[in-house]
């Protein structure tokens, strides 16, 4: 049926072609703009969440007191968790007897709280430089320092360091005042006891001291003030990863470290008998029971801290108030004054917990050096043997150093901001500084100390204020930009793919770009963009800011340009019937709910179990209501969905199960035979009517093709069995087997192209065609998932086909069922009788197709794993194709394995759009519109604190959603190779004459 013909336009064909060409080009432009928007907004997270907090240009703040110690030895036991270090062993003796003795009799102790990510680099940066991980390090894979920062080692006169090649060079690599050595990476062999790495550091330092007795250069370097010795002890970390932290190897390693510390102290005291050495023992992070670290688990964030020697206060008696919660939190969110476990045997000794970053000012103060410039630590005065005046002075210096950073940041911001808003609480900072100086001058040291501490916390708040200064602007710009894009697509779909324009707009008003109001809006948009760009240039904003803002302004200008369209939409909604309104609101709510479920499924894939349990029942009910005469179809739909619901409960790390893979091959063949049998039946069943070819249209060729495909699947199953048994017998994989596997997978993927064009026949052929590739790449239950997914997809086609058939069978468009289903995207004006005017139009209810597609595309991924299981992929899943390590081929194969389910889903989607005669491109835009609801949600879920895994995952979630626009288009292109020539009966054709034709192929290009 042709709309223009109804309207009586004689030269409608040329007009129509012209409009179609116009639309095609505007859609190409739209997709390009969408890609631009998504890629630039993807980058915005680096301006928002991952901006370096480090500033330069401050001056070191002199301490103002005498140096309590001449030199300092820093022991960092990598991966030593607090409880294993402090607690008694099974015999009731301390694991670290020497250090326990010190805590009881000589020095101070506490728990040092690390902030996630609890990894080695951030931990060491916190201890040595006093700053928490620079989030912009994410762009460099956390390896190198993207921005140079100051450290205690920089400030020292000389630093001697021994330890791991991953840590020591970070701090000593570029410094001239250091003497350092690290072992080669091969030393870190996980299989053996790694405690020799600790011995290595202790021994090298011992040798170094011995050598400097004879070597004048070395002796000069280490004589005098401001010397730091840093021993990095990697044993516990390596042993914890390899053997878990409750293993004997790990626990013995603690004892070994204790002995090493004891002997090092002995040689130090022999070499420097002046008693001017202070010692600090701590760890960069802990170790979880699973033998990993990174997240905010207490086992990871709580590390030991012991300090003793020159300038360090002696132990005190613990008072009961220590256990009272004062509401304060450490950087790892733990409360201050946590109760010491009795098993530690330290209940009666005063405990002082610190933030990991506080150790840097502690070390600086012990050596009488200025704090590292970028440090955000607060001096833990309880550790220092200073009088009250010295304490106040030291804290005041610390406060000025943190304040300097704040002032520098404020200054930098003010220099470029046109509308600078200063940080309120610190506007009068000068008066505070004078006040503290006066307090010290008049001997009010306790008050001065308190005021300096308050000043530090205010300055830290101020630093956070400037770190997030642009957030409101950036986040709102980006949200507004996304919303503009979504609305723009919605308007495009309304205009190009729904019946709306025909009812509501006179043809003369098709585009009001060139109308007066349209021009005015464009002009205003241009002016707005110009002004804002100018402002951004004056503020010296990063170049990408222009793009963020420009895209947002562009889309909103484009939306407002077509005022007549907006007016007619407004009119339509205002004059809408209540029934339409309620339907529209209901559809929005359901869509939103489903999309939020999809967001949740990124964190808990079990969500799909619930979704498919419900979908099975709903699908079965829908089919049986629409086609009461088929009892088998509802049962099949129900069974398929419930079968699928089990997979998301299976472990994400797929356990090996070869017999299951082989069995899955047989399941594939059985399903294909059932499908073939259905396809050959005379199509009497309404649900199947439009998808089967029927016996009359079967050729011999198709019979042979089917047989060949079945044989290929069976051969692939056999090859799975053979290659696995070869591997278990450690015989390797003969080149012949590899060749057979490659050719099986390659040939079978191409065969569906030669299959009959009937819908069911083609779908079965695609299913069989991808099976060998998928089976050969499978190691366990995911092989069965392939069949389950195919069953669900076929159910989807069946349900849609049943619904569609019942509509057509209903005959007259005024049948109650048709009325019930036909809710246009926008309400129709009264007076115009609704008929399915444009068969190829999208209606409100058709958004369900896009929703189903999104659910299925996601389950195609989450059905067999999650983000983590993809990142840590099983190499064994590619060994049937390649045995030597080659990251590119292996990566490509794994990508193939991921893509196969996606292609199945997209083929089914093509089939559904053909059954319902919907324009695929229109549906693609609706898919984009819906998926951007998720994109916005993930944009706000991006994290910059937490374990590396959490951070990385939050970025990849957002990245995946941003890439959807390209990814889905790519899938459409790939699957249309197989589905573009689907042969299906038109909706207009009477069911009795299944004549061959290709309905309006042009709609699907
Ligand atoms: Zn570490
Ligand atoms: Zn580690």
């Amino acid at each position: 049926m042709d709309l223009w013909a109804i309207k009586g336009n004689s030269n409608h064909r040329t007009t129509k072609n012209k409009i179609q060409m116009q639309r095609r080009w505007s859609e190409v432009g739209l997709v390009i703009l969408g890609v631009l928007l998504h890629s630039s907004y993807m980058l915005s997270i680096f301006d928002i969440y991952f901006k370096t907090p480090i500033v330069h240009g401050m001056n070191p703040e002199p301490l103002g007191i005498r140096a309590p110690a001449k030199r300092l030895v820093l022991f960092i036991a990598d991966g030593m968790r607090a409880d294993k270090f402090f607690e008694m062993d099974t015999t009731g003796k301390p694991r670290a007897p020497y250090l326990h003795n010190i805590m009881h009799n000589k020095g101070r102790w506490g728990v040092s709280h690390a902030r996630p990510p609890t990894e080695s680099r951030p931990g060491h940066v916190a201890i040595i430089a006093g700053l928490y991980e620079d989030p912009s390090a994410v762009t460099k894979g956390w390896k190198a320092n993207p921005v140079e920062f100051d450290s205690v080692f920089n400030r020292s006169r000389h630093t001697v360091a021994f330890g791991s090649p991953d840590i020591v060079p970070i701090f000593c690599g570029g410094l001239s005042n250091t003497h350092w050595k690290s072992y080669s990476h091969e030393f870190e062999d996980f299989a053996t006891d790694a405690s020799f790495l600790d011995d290595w550091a202790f021994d090298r330092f011992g040798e170094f001291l011995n050598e400097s007795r004879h070597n004048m250069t070395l002796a000069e370097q280490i004589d005098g003030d401001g010397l730091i010795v840093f021993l990095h002890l990697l044993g516990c970390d390596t042993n914890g990863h390899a053997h878990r932290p409750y293993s004997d190897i790990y626990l013995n390693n603690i004892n070994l470290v204790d002995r090493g510390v004891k002997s090092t102290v002995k040689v130090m005291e022999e070499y420097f008998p002046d008693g001017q050495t202070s010692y600090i023992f701590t760890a960069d992070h802990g170790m979880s029971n699973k033998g990993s670290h990174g997240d905010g688990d207490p086992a990871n964030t709580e590390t030991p801290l012991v300090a003793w020697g020159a300038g360090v206060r002696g132990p005190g008696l613990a008072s009961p108030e220590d256990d009272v919660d004062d509401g304060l939190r450490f950087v790892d969110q733990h409360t201050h004054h946590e109760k010491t476990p009795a098993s530690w045997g330290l209940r009666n000794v005063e405990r002082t917990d610190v933030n990991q970053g506080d150790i840097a000012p502690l070390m600086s103060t012990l050596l009488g050096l200025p704090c590292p410039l970028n440090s955000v630590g607060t001096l833990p005065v309880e550790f220092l043997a200073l009088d009250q005046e010295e304490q106040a002075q030291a804290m005041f210096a610390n406060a000025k150093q943190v304040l300097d950073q704040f002032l520098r940041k404020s200054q930098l911001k003010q220099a470029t901001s046109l509308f600078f808003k200063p940080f309120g609480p610190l506007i009068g900072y000068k008066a505070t500084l004078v006040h503290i100086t006066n307090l010290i001058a008049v001997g009010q040291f306790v008050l001065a100390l308190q005021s300096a501490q308050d000043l530090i916390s205010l300055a830290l708040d101020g630093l956070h204020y400037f770190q997030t200064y642009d957030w409101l602007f950036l986040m709102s710009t980006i949200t507004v930009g996304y919303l503009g894009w979504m609305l723009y697509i919605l308007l495009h779909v309304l205009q190009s793919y729904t019946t709306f324009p025909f009812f509501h707009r006179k043809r003369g008003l098709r585009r009001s770009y060139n109308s007066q109001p349209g021009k005015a809006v464009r002009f205003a948009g241009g002016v707005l963009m110009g002004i804002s760009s100018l402002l951004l240039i004056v503020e010296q904003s990063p170049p990408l800011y222009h793009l963020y803002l420009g895209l947002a302004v562009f889309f909103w200008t484009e939306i407002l340009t077509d005022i007549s369209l907006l007016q007619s939409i407004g009119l339509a909604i205002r004059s809408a019937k209540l029934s339409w309104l309620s339907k529209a609101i209901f559809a929005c709510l359901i869509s939103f709910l489903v999309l939020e479920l999809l967001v949740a499924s990124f964190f808990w894939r079990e969500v799909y179990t619930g979704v498919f349990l419900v979908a099975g029942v709903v699908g079965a009910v829908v089919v049986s209501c629409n086609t009461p005469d088929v009892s088998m179809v509802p049962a099949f739909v129900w069974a398929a969905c419930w079968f699928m619901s089990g997979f998301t409960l299976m472990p994400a790390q797929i356990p090996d199960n070869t017999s299951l893979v082989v069995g899955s091959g047989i399941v594939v063949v059985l399903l294909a035979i059932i499908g073939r049998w259905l396809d050959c039946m005379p199509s009497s069943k309404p649900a199947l009517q439009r998808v089967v070819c029927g016996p009359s249209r079967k050729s011999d060729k198709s019979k042979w093709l089917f047989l060949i495909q079945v044989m290929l699947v069976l051969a692939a199953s056999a090859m799975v069995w053979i290659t696995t048994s070869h591997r278990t017998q450690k015989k390797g994989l003969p080149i012949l087997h590899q060749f057979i596997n490659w050719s099986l997978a390659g040939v079978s993927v191409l065969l569906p192209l030669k299959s009959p064009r009937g819908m069911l026949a083609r779908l079965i052929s695609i299913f069989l065609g991808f099976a060998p590739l998928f089976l050969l790449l499978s190691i366990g239950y995911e092989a069965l998932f392939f069949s389950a997914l195919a069953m669900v997809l076929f159910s989807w086609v069946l349900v849609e086909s049943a619904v569609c058939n019942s509509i057509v069978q209903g005959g007259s468009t005024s049948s109650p069922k048709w009325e019930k289903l036909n809710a246009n995207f926008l309400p129709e004006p009264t007076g115009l009788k609704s008929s399915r005017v444009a068969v190829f139009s999208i209606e409100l209810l058709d958004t369900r197709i896009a929703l189903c597609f999104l659910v299925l595309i996601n389950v195609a991924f989450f059905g067999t794993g999650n983000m983590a299981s993809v990142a840590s992929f099983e190499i064994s899943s590619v060994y049937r194709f390649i045995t030597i390590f080659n990251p590119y081929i292996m990566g490509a194969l794994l990508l193939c394995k991921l893509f196969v389910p996606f292609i199945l889903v997209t083929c089914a989607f093509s089939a559904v759009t053909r059954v319902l005669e919907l324009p695929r491109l229109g549906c693609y835009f609706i898919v984009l519109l819906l998926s951007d609801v998720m994109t916005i949600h993930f944009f706000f879920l991006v994290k910059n604190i937490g374990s590396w895994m959490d951070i990385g995952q939050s970025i990849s979630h957002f990245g995946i959603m941003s890439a959807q626009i390209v990814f889905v288009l790519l899938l459409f292109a790939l699957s249309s190779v197989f589905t573009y020539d689907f042969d299906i009966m038109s909706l207009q054709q009477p069911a009795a004459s299944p004549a061959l034709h290709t309905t309006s192929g042009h709609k699907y290009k």
Side-chain angles (χ1 to χ4, degrees):
M1 198 181 292
D2 196 313
L3 212 112
W4 303 94
I6 303 171
K7 302 225 167 186
N9 193 334
S10 55
N11 56 353
H12 64 274
R13 214 151 272 292
T14 40
T15 324
K16 197 176 157 189
N17 281 345
K18 222 180 189 174
I19 289 175
Q20 259 179 4
M21 278 305 286
Q22 257 178 11
R23 188 211 283 175
R24 188 60 35 84
W25 279 111
S26 76
E27 275 172 346
V28 171
L30 191 58
V31 172
I32 292 173
L33 272 175
V35 172
L36 182 69
L37 177 115
H38 284 87
S39 49
S40 65
Y41 282 9
M42 169 71 213
L43 292 178
S44 75
I45 57 167
F46 296 104
D47 282 324
I48 297 173
Y49 297 105
F50 302 102
K51 217 172 67 177
T52 175
I54 296 167
V55 279
H56 298 281
M58 295 85 63
N59 292 319
E61 204 58 58
L63 194 59
I65 58 166
R66 67 173 173 91
K70 273 187 161 180
R71 61 198 79 80
L72 181 138
V73 183
L74 170 66
F75 303 96
I76 299 186
D78 203 308
M80 187 180 292
R81 63 189 247 189
D83 58 343
K84 296 290 169 207
F85 170 77
F86 287 122
E87 75 191 12
M88 303 292 159
D89 63 13
T90 41
T91 61
K93 290 202 192 92
R95 288 211 176 90
Y98 176 72
L99 287 166
H100 250 261
N101 182 35
I102 281 175
M103 287 182 262
H104 278 282
N105 301 315
K106 231 178 144 186
R108 305 280 303 177
W109 76 282
V111 170
S112 159
H113 297 257
R115 196 177 84 162
T118 45
E119 299 283 352
S120 295
R121 200 192 97 116
H124 283 87
V125 170
I127 295 169
I128 296 166
L131 67 110
Y132 296 102
E133 183 56 270
D134 173 1
S136 66
V138 74
T139 54
K140 297 279 164 79
W142 307 96
K143 281 278 184 281
N145 290 323
V147 183
E148 288 308 313
F149 53 79
D150 193 25
S151 75
V152 180
F153 295 176
N154 282 11
R155 298 278 136 220
S156 73
R157 190 186 51 75
H158 196 78
T159 295
V160 178
F162 296 100
S164 145
D166 295 320
I167 295 299
V168 174
I170 294 180
F171 300 96
C172 301
L175 293 184
S176 56
N177 61 336
T178 52
H179 176 106
W180 60 276
K181 210 176 224 162
S182 56
Y183 35 83
S184 74
H185 279 280
E186 286 85 74
F187 271 52
E188 299 162 30
D189 186 352
F190 275 48
T192 53
D193 181 355
S195 55
F196 71 93
L197 296 174
D198 300 340
D199 282 332
W200 183 92
F202 291 128
D203 293 349
R204 285 302 85 71
F205 179 63
E207 285 166 16
F208 171 80
L209 274 190
N210 271 336
E211 202 187 332
S212 37
R213 285 182 205 275
H214 320 293
N215 185 330
M216 280 309 288
T217 338
L218 291 185
E220 260 173 39
Q221 281 174 354
I222 60 172
D223 267 345
D225 304 348
L227 171 75
I228 296 179
V229 175
F230 167 41
L231 298 185
H232 174 245
L233 312 166
L234 191 62
C236 279
D237 182 68
T238 313
N239 279 334
H241 286 305
H243 309 285
R244 312 283 179 273
Y246 40 81
S247 64
D248 282 343
I249 293 188
Y250 182 88
L251 299 175
N252 288 337
N253 202 153
I254 296 177
N255 185 259
L256 181 136
V257 167
D258 185 66
R259 278 180 277 138
V261 170
K262 184 179 175 185
S263 67
T264 306
V265 171
K266 189 160 167 274
V267 293
M268 272 303 277
E269 294 297 321
E270 280 167 11
Y271 193 95
F272 301 105
D274 57 1
Q276 288 292 301
T277 313
S278 39
Y279 301 90
I280 288 181
F281 175 86
T282 187
D284 57 345
H285 52 76
M287 181 69 64
S288 75
N289 286 340
K290 286 181 286 179
S292 64
H293 51 83
D295 59 19
D297 189 272
N300 290 332
T301 62
E302 294 188 358
T303 65
L305 173 63
V306 186
W308 69 101
V312 179
R313 204 188 286 183
L317 267 182
S319 61
E321 300 100 74
D322 282 359
D323 294 337
V324 178
D325 183 5
D326 54 5
L328 293 172
R329 293 285 181 281
F330 287 105
V331 282
D332 58 354
Q333 300 299 318
H334 293 164
T335 57
H336 275 227
H337 307 298
E338 269 173 277
K339 208 171 165 63
T340 307
S343 60
W344 293 8
L346 288 161
R347 278 249 170 113
N348 55 345
V349 193
E350 204 178 352
R351 159 181 172 179
T352 312
D353 281 16
V354 300
N355 285 323
Q356 200 166 43
D358 300 343
I359 298 175
L362 174 63
M363 292 195 288
S364 299
T365 309
L366 280 171
L367 290 172
L369 301 169
C371 279
L373 297 177
N374 308 108
S375 161
V376 292
T378 309
L379 179 67
V381 276
E382 298 87 344
F383 273 83
L384 293 164
L386 299 176
D387 62 33
Q388 284 194 336
E389 180 176 359
E390 286 171 323
Q391 285 186 20
Q393 289 282 14
M395 189 59 93
F396 190 35
N398 187 192
K400 283 193 278 189
Q401 171 263 324
V402 180
L403 185 71
D404 271 353
Q405 283 183 77
F406 162 81
L407 292 176
R408 181 71 187 144
K409 237 177 177 168
S410 168
Q411 191 190 16
L412 287 174
K413 199 82 229 175
Q414 191 169 10
T416 58
S417 286
L418 285 175
F419 313 102
F420 179 70
K421 257 177 60 204
F423 179 62
L426 276 178
I427 288 176
Y429 75 92
K430 278 185 183 144
T432 317
L433 290 179
V434 172
H435 175 65
I436 298 173
T437 320
N438 288 341
L439 284 175
I440 293 175
V442 298
Q444 294 271 30
F445 302 125
V446 180
L447 271 180
L449 182 83
Q450 187 58 50
S451 305
Q453 273 173 338
D454 293 346
L455 185 59
I456 292 180
S457 55
L458 273 184
L460 291 178
D461 290 345
L463 283 174
H464 180 75
Y465 170 80
F466 285 116
Q467 183 68 21
T468 56
Y469 192 80
D470 291 341
W471 273 28
L472 186 66
F473 162 72
L474 283 175
M475 289 198 151
S476 41
T477 304
I478 287 186
T479 314
V480 167
Y482 273 127
L483 291 177
W485 154 256
M486 286 158 70
L487 190 56
Y488 190 71
I489 310 186
L490 183 65
L491 293 182
H492 175 74
V493 170
L494 268 182
Q495 277 185 300
S496 309
Y497 296 103
T498 67
T499 52
F500 171 74
F502 303 120
F503 291 130
H504 292 280
R505 309 187 73 195
K506 295 195 195 89
R507 275 185 52 219
L509 275 173
R510 223 187 131 64
R511 275 257 176 264
S512 54
Y513 283 158
N514 300 320
S515 67
Q516 274 312 328
K519 273 183 186 163
V521 170
R522 289 205 152 180
F523 181 72
V527 169
L528 181 63
M529 199 125 95
I531 293 175
S532 49
S533 274
L534 216 65
L535 290 181
L536 287 175
I537 289 170
V538 172
E539 296 209 339
Q540 298 176 14
S541 304
L544 274 175
Y545 281 31
H546 294 264
L547 197 57
Y548 306 149
L549 199 66
L551 283 167
V553 172
F554 172 79
F555 280 111
W556 282 101
T557 313
E558 284 298 298
I559 291 164
L560 295 175
T561 306
D562 205 354
I563 290 170
S564 73
L565 174 66
L566 296 176
Q567 280 169 343
S568 42
I569 292 174
L571 201 72
I573 291 177
R574 252 178 286 139
S575 60
K577 283 194 220 111
L578 198 65
S579 63
W580 180 86
L581 271 181
S582 52
K583 262 179 223 164
I585 292 170
F586 185 69
C588 288
L589 279 180
I590 290 285
S591 309
F592 190 71
L593 183 77
V594 171
L595 292 171
E596 284 301 302
L597 274 179
L598 288 182
V599 170
S601 77
F602 276 66
F603 303 95
W604 306 280
R605 57 200 274 269
E606 295 79 9
V607 166
Y608 292 106
T609 307
V611 168
F612 279 97
L613 287 178
V614 175
V617 180
V618 173
V621 169
V622 167
V623 176
S624 54
C625 285
N626 284 297
T627 52
D629 52 333
V630 262
S631 53
M632 283 302 285
V633 177
F636 174 75
V637 172
W638 193 318
C641 288
W642 281 36
F643 182 32
M644 176 58 109
S645 70
F647 284 91
T648 36
L649 295 179
M650 307 284 273
Q653 296 289 350
I654 299 164
D656 278 314
N657 191 336
T658 311
S659 27
L660 196 61
V661 180
V662 176
S664 304
I666 295 161
V667 173
V668 168
V669 170
L670 284 178
L671 282 175
I673 290 172
I674 295 170
R676 172 89 182 168
W677 171 71
L678 276 177
D679 198 25
C680 294
M681 280 201 314
S683 52
S684 59
K685 297 201 190 309
L688 294 169
Q689 211 161 39
R690 302 190 63 236
V691 293
V692 300
C693 313
S696 56
R697 288 165 44 206
K698 283 277 154 318
S699 63
D700 275 351
K701 203 184 109 202
S702 80
K703 204 180 293 166
W704 280 109
L705 187 77
F706 180 78
L707 270 178
I708 292 171
Q709 287 197 299
V710 166
M711 294 313 289
L712 284 175
V713 175
L714 290 176
S717 294
M719 285 312 290
V720 167
W721 186 257
I722 293 167
T723 44
T724 313
S725 55
H726 263 266
R727 208 171 115 100
T728 43
Q729 291 161 21
K730 297 244 159 39
K731 276 197 230 157
L733 189 59
I735 207 84
L736 177 70
H737 289 192
Q738 289 185 40
F739 176 74
I740 295 174
N741 290 347
W742 278 102
S743 19
L744 275 179
V747 169
S748 60
V749 166
L750 296 176
L751 287 180
L753 295 173
K754 291 277 146 216
S755 66
R757 289 161 59 203
M759 185 170 284
L760 183 56
R762 177 59 63 88
L763 287 177
I764 292 169
S765 186
I766 294 169
F767 171 58
L768 282 174
F770 282 98
L773 174 63
F774 199 78
L775 288 176
L776 287 168
L777 284 170
S778 296
I779 52 169
Y781 72 84
E782 82 269 37
L784 207 56
F785 173 78
F786 182 77
S787 300
L789 184 67
M791 280 168 72
V792 166
L793 293 174
F794 187 55
S795 315
W796 186 32
V797 178
L798 278 184
V799 171
E800 295 296 351
S801 149
V803 171
C804 182
N805 260 290
S806 78
I807 294 168
V808 175
Q809 298 279 304
S812 123
T813 50
S814 57
S815 80
K817 227 172 239 166
W818 176 239
E819 283 287 291
K820 200 167 66 192
L821 275 158
N822 183 22
N824 266 302
F825 237 106
L826 282 175
E828 286 154 21
T830 42
L832 255 170
K833 190 63 210 151
S834 121
S835 60
R836 206 166 172 138
V837 196
V839 180
F840 311 104
S841 71
I842 297 178
E843 282 150 20
L844 187 62
L845 264 176
D846 292 333
T847 42
R848 75 179 183 283
I849 311 294
L851 267 185
C852 286
F853 175 70
L854 276 175
V855 172
L856 288 166
I857 267 291
N858 280 296
V859 84
F861 177 77
F862 287 109
T864 59
N866 54 23
M867 294 289 165
S869 68
V870 172
S872 64
F873 60 85
E874 271 296 316
I875 210 81
S876 58
S877 58
V878 296
Y879 70 78
R880 295 189 190 107
F881 287 98
I882 183 166
T883 45
I884 36 175
F885 185 77
N886 180 329
Y888 297 106
I889 299 181
M890 285 176 163
L893 282 169
L894 285 162
L895 218 58
C896 277
K897 188 180 173 185
L898 277 179
F899 254 73
V900 167
F902 292 145
I903 290 181
L904 289 194
V905 173
T906 322
C907 288
F909 176 74
S910 295
V912 169
T913 51
R914 285 310 294 270
V915 166
L916 297 177
E917 303 201 340
L918 293 172
R920 266 202 331 160
L921 212 53
C923 291
Y924 165 68
F925 286 122
I926 297 184
V927 167
L928 286 189
L929 177 70
L930 293 176
S931 75
D932 275 334
V933 175
M934 295 169 70
T935 314
I936 295 181
H937 196 150
F938 280 121
F939 171 66
F940 284 100
L941 287 181
V942 173
K943 283 186 185 181
N944 57 2
I945 32 176
S947 69
W948 289 7
M949 209 175 92
D950 291 343
I951 296 173
Q953 267 185 16
S954 74
I955 297 176
S956 54
H957 290 168
F958 179 57
I960 287 170
M961 291 316 297
S962 299
Q964 200 93 311
I965 181 167
V966 178
F967 176 70
V968 175
L969 200 63
L970 191 72
L971 280 179
F972 276 25
L974 267 177
S975 67
S976 66
V977 173
F978 297 105
T979 59
Y980 76 99
D981 56 349
F982 267 148
D983 178 19
I984 185 170
M985 208 164 48
S986 163
L987 278 173
Q988 268 76 47
Q989 230 113 40
S993 65
L996 266 177
H997 62 95
T998 48
T999 35
S1000 53
H1002 59 274
K1003 287 285 173 190
Y1004 301 93
K1005 275 172 205 157

